[in-house]
Amino acid sequence: MKTRILLFVCLCIGVAALFSACSENDSLVSDLPQNDEITLKSKKIPTQFSGICTPIDNMGYDIISWYDATDDPRVTGVSYWVFTGIEPIDEVTIELRGATEIFVGAVTVDDVINGRYVGKWEMTWKGYQNYTYPGSVTFKIVAHGTGTGTEGEVLGLTARWKYTMDFDGTPESGAIYYSKGKITEEL
Protein backbone atom coordinates (compact mmCIF):
# COMPACT_ATOMS: atom_id res chain seq x y z
CA MET A 1 0.00 0.00 0.00
CA LYS A 2 2.83 2.36 0.83
CA THR A 3 4.29 1.67 -2.60
CA ARG A 4 1.04 2.65 -4.31
CA ILE A 5 0.80 5.88 -2.36
CA LEU A 6 4.42 6.68 -3.14
CA LEU A 7 3.83 5.99 -6.87
CA PHE A 8 0.70 8.16 -6.83
CA VAL A 9 2.55 11.04 -5.15
CA CYS A 10 5.44 10.75 -7.64
CA LEU A 11 2.98 10.72 -10.52
CA CYS A 12 1.23 13.85 -9.20
CA ILE A 13 4.56 15.65 -8.70
CA GLY A 14 5.68 14.66 -12.21
CA VAL A 15 2.46 15.90 -13.82
CA ALA A 16 2.61 19.14 -11.80
CA ALA A 17 6.23 19.69 -12.84
CA LEU A 18 5.36 19.01 -16.48
CA PHE A 19 2.46 21.49 -16.56
CA SER A 20 4.35 24.16 -14.62
CA ALA A 21 7.13 24.13 -17.24
CA CYS A 22 4.65 24.86 -20.06
CA SER A 23 3.01 28.19 -20.79
CA GLU A 24 0.33 29.27 -23.23
CA ASN A 25 2.89 30.97 -25.44
CA ASP A 26 5.26 28.02 -25.79
CA SER A 27 5.51 26.63 -29.27
CA LEU A 28 7.14 23.62 -30.75
CA VAL A 29 8.55 25.92 -33.44
CA SER A 30 10.45 28.77 -31.82
CA ASP A 31 10.44 31.11 -34.88
CA LEU A 32 6.64 31.46 -34.98
CA PRO A 33 5.06 34.53 -33.41
CA GLN A 34 3.48 33.78 -30.04
CA ASN A 35 0.06 35.43 -30.33
CA ASP A 36 -2.85 34.72 -28.04
CA GLU A 37 -5.24 35.00 -31.02
CA ILE A 38 -4.94 33.37 -34.38
CA THR A 39 -6.73 35.08 -37.25
CA LEU A 40 -7.25 33.26 -40.50
CA LYS A 41 -7.73 35.43 -43.59
CA SER A 42 -8.63 34.33 -47.06
CA LYS A 43 -6.35 35.29 -49.90
CA LYS A 44 -7.69 37.35 -52.75
CA ILE A 45 -6.53 35.93 -56.06
CA PRO A 46 -6.74 38.35 -59.03
CA THR A 47 -7.19 37.16 -62.62
CA GLN A 48 -6.30 39.60 -65.40
CA PHE A 49 -8.47 39.99 -68.52
CA SER A 50 -8.57 42.14 -71.66
CA GLY A 51 -10.93 42.56 -74.55
CA ILE A 52 -12.90 44.78 -76.89
CA CYS A 53 -16.31 46.37 -76.39
CA THR A 54 -18.46 47.16 -79.46
CA PRO A 55 -21.86 48.88 -79.65
CA ILE A 56 -25.00 46.80 -80.29
CA ASP A 57 -27.98 49.14 -79.92
CA ASN A 58 -29.08 52.52 -78.58
CA MET A 59 -31.94 51.45 -76.30
CA GLY A 60 -33.25 54.93 -75.58
CA TYR A 61 -32.23 58.09 -73.81
CA ASP A 62 -28.90 57.57 -72.02
CA ILE A 63 -28.96 53.73 -72.31
CA ILE A 64 -26.66 52.04 -74.80
CA SER A 65 -26.02 48.32 -75.15
CA TRP A 66 -22.58 46.95 -76.01
CA TYR A 67 -21.00 43.54 -76.43
CA ASP A 68 -17.98 42.98 -74.18
CA ALA A 69 -15.79 40.26 -75.73
CA THR A 70 -12.88 39.38 -73.43
CA ASP A 71 -10.42 36.56 -72.92
CA ASP A 72 -12.27 35.61 -69.69
CA PRO A 73 -15.84 34.30 -70.13
CA ARG A 74 -16.77 35.63 -66.66
CA VAL A 75 -16.73 39.22 -68.00
CA THR A 76 -17.96 38.51 -71.55
CA GLY A 77 -21.50 39.36 -72.56
CA VAL A 78 -24.02 42.10 -73.31
CA SER A 79 -23.62 45.27 -71.27
CA TYR A 80 -26.11 48.09 -70.63
CA TRP A 81 -24.51 51.50 -70.03
CA VAL A 82 -26.39 54.37 -68.36
CA PHE A 83 -24.94 57.86 -67.92
CA THR A 84 -25.65 59.32 -64.49
CA GLY A 85 -23.56 62.43 -64.97
CA ILE A 86 -21.96 64.41 -67.79
CA GLU A 87 -20.13 67.52 -66.65
CA PRO A 88 -17.88 69.85 -68.70
CA ILE A 89 -14.57 70.51 -66.97
CA ASP A 90 -13.04 72.91 -69.51
CA GLU A 91 -13.09 73.50 -73.31
CA VAL A 92 -11.67 70.07 -74.13
CA THR A 93 -12.56 67.82 -71.16
CA ILE A 94 -15.83 66.28 -70.01
CA GLU A 95 -16.27 64.19 -66.87
CA LEU A 96 -18.51 61.14 -67.35
CA ARG A 97 -20.16 58.96 -64.67
CA GLY A 98 -22.50 56.05 -64.91
CA ALA A 99 -23.65 52.56 -64.08
CA THR A 100 -23.39 49.38 -66.10
CA GLU A 101 -24.81 45.88 -65.99
CA ILE A 102 -22.97 43.08 -67.79
CA PHE A 103 -25.02 39.97 -68.56
CA VAL A 104 -22.45 37.17 -68.74
CA GLY A 105 -22.96 34.73 -71.60
CA ALA A 106 -25.59 36.81 -73.42
CA VAL A 107 -24.77 37.61 -77.07
CA THR A 108 -27.77 39.78 -77.99
CA VAL A 109 -30.18 42.11 -76.22
CA ASP A 110 -32.85 39.45 -76.90
CA ASP A 111 -30.77 36.98 -74.83
CA VAL A 112 -30.87 39.41 -71.89
CA ILE A 113 -34.61 40.05 -72.23
CA ASN A 114 -35.31 36.29 -72.29
CA GLY A 115 -32.98 35.47 -69.38
CA ARG A 116 -30.42 33.60 -71.50
CA TYR A 117 -27.34 34.54 -69.51
CA VAL A 118 -25.32 32.80 -66.79
CA GLY A 119 -24.35 35.67 -64.50
CA LYS A 120 -24.62 39.40 -63.94
CA TRP A 121 -22.24 42.17 -62.91
CA GLU A 122 -23.27 45.56 -61.53
CA MET A 123 -20.63 48.24 -62.09
CA THR A 124 -20.24 51.93 -61.39
CA TRP A 125 -17.72 53.91 -63.40
CA LYS A 126 -16.18 57.34 -63.84
CA GLY A 127 -14.15 58.67 -66.71
CA TYR A 128 -13.06 61.58 -68.85
CA GLN A 129 -13.50 62.45 -72.49
CA ASN A 130 -10.71 64.66 -73.83
CA TYR A 131 -11.05 66.33 -77.24
CA THR A 132 -7.91 66.97 -79.25
CA TYR A 133 -8.79 70.68 -79.40
CA PRO A 134 -11.99 72.71 -78.82
CA GLY A 135 -14.72 71.79 -81.33
CA SER A 136 -12.74 68.74 -82.49
CA VAL A 137 -14.30 65.47 -83.66
CA THR A 138 -11.33 63.47 -82.38
CA PHE A 139 -11.25 62.48 -78.73
CA LYS A 140 -10.08 59.95 -76.17
CA ILE A 141 -12.22 58.44 -73.41
CA VAL A 142 -10.77 56.66 -70.39
CA ALA A 143 -13.15 55.23 -67.78
CA HIS A 144 -12.51 53.17 -64.65
CA GLY A 145 -15.17 50.93 -63.14
CA THR A 146 -15.62 48.68 -60.14
CA GLY A 147 -18.25 46.01 -59.90
CA THR A 148 -19.69 43.07 -58.04
CA GLY A 149 -21.11 39.86 -59.38
CA THR A 150 -24.77 39.81 -58.32
CA GLU A 151 -26.11 36.68 -60.05
CA GLY A 152 -25.15 33.24 -61.32
CA GLU A 153 -21.58 32.15 -62.01
CA VAL A 154 -20.07 35.50 -60.93
CA LEU A 155 -22.06 35.93 -57.71
CA GLY A 156 -19.82 37.36 -54.99
CA LEU A 157 -16.82 38.10 -57.23
CA THR A 158 -15.44 41.62 -57.54
CA ALA A 159 -13.75 43.19 -60.55
CA ARG A 160 -12.13 46.36 -61.80
CA TRP A 161 -12.25 47.58 -65.40
CA LYS A 162 -10.45 50.18 -67.47
CA TYR A 163 -12.11 51.15 -70.77
CA THR A 164 -10.25 53.22 -73.37
CA MET A 165 -11.54 54.64 -76.66
CA ASP A 166 -9.34 56.58 -79.13
CA PHE A 167 -11.59 58.07 -81.79
CA ASP A 168 -9.62 59.74 -84.59
CA GLY A 169 -12.66 60.84 -86.60
CA THR A 170 -12.44 58.12 -89.24
CA PRO A 171 -15.03 55.35 -89.71
CA GLU A 172 -12.22 52.79 -89.31
CA SER A 173 -11.56 53.84 -85.71
CA GLY A 174 -15.26 53.40 -84.91
CA ALA A 175 -16.86 53.52 -81.49
CA ILE A 176 -14.81 50.71 -79.93
CA TYR A 177 -13.59 50.48 -76.37
CA TYR A 178 -10.58 48.43 -75.40
CA SER A 179 -10.97 46.95 -71.95
CA LYS A 180 -8.68 45.43 -69.40
CA GLY A 181 -9.02 44.63 -65.76
CA LYS A 182 -8.93 42.01 -63.08
CA ILE A 183 -11.40 39.75 -61.35
CA THR A 184 -10.79 39.06 -57.68
CA GLU A 185 -12.06 35.99 -55.92
CA GLU A 186 -11.46 34.92 -52.36
CA LEU A 187 -10.01 31.51 -51.60
Side-chain angles (χ1 to χ4, degrees):
M1 179 82 165
K2 288 184 182 183
T3 308
R4 284 188 180 170
I5 294 174
L6 184 58
L7 284 175
F8 179 72
V9 170
C10 289
L11 180 63
C12 288
I13 292 172
V15 170
L18 178 65
F19 283 116
S20 68
C22 296
S23 73
E24 289 181 23
N25 290 334
D26 283 346
S27 172
L28 296 176
V29 183
S30 60
D31 292 341
L32 292 178
Q34 303 296 308
N35 296 332
D36 291 334
E37 256 181 58
I38 296 175
T39 304
L40 299 177
K41 291 185 179 181
S42 61
K43 285 193 166 217
K44 292 185 176 184
I45 309 296
T47 303
Q48 305 290 327
F49 64 86
S50 62
I52 189 167
C53 187
T54 54
I56 298 175
D57 187 18
N58 185 345
M59 301 176 65
Y61 182 73
D62 287 341
I63 300 175
I64 303 170
S65 62
W66 296 74
Y67 184 72
D68 288 45
T70 72
D71 54 8
D72 191 318
R74 296 176 296 173
V75 286
T76 296
V78 171
S79 58
Y80 290 167
W81 292 71
V82 178
F83 288 92
T84 60
I86 301 173
E87 189 175 321
I89 302 299
D90 55 35
E91 292 180 346
V92 295
T93 306
I94 298 172
E95 181 182 276
L96 308 168
R97 290 180 308 280
T100 300
E101 294 176 313
I102 300 175
F103 298 89
V104 178
V107 178
T108 65
V109 171
D110 190 50
D111 288 342
V112 175
I113 292 168
N114 291 306
R116 292 188 300 260
Y117 57 90
V118 296
K120 179 179 165 187
W121 290 94
E122 292 182 6
M123 176 199 329
T124 57
W125 54 270
K126 181 178 179 180
Y128 295 92
Q129 180 171 342
N130 293 308
Y131 292 96
T132 307
Y133 54 86
S136 161
V137 187
T138 60
F139 58 84
K140 180 175 186 169
I141 298 175
V142 177
H144 297 272
T146 58
T148 302
T150 59
E151 293 181 23
E153 293 180 4
V154 296
L155 181 65
L157 299 178
T158 58
R160 298 176 84 68
W161 287 263
K162 178 181 179 183
Y163 287 91
T164 306
M165 177 190 290
D166 279 312
F167 185 72
D168 65 8
T170 64
E172 295 80 34
S173 69
I176 296 172
Y177 283 100
Y178 294 92
S179 65
K180 64 180 180 177
K182 64 181 175 180
I183 301 169
T184 305
E185 53 189 308
E186 292 192 19
L187 292 180

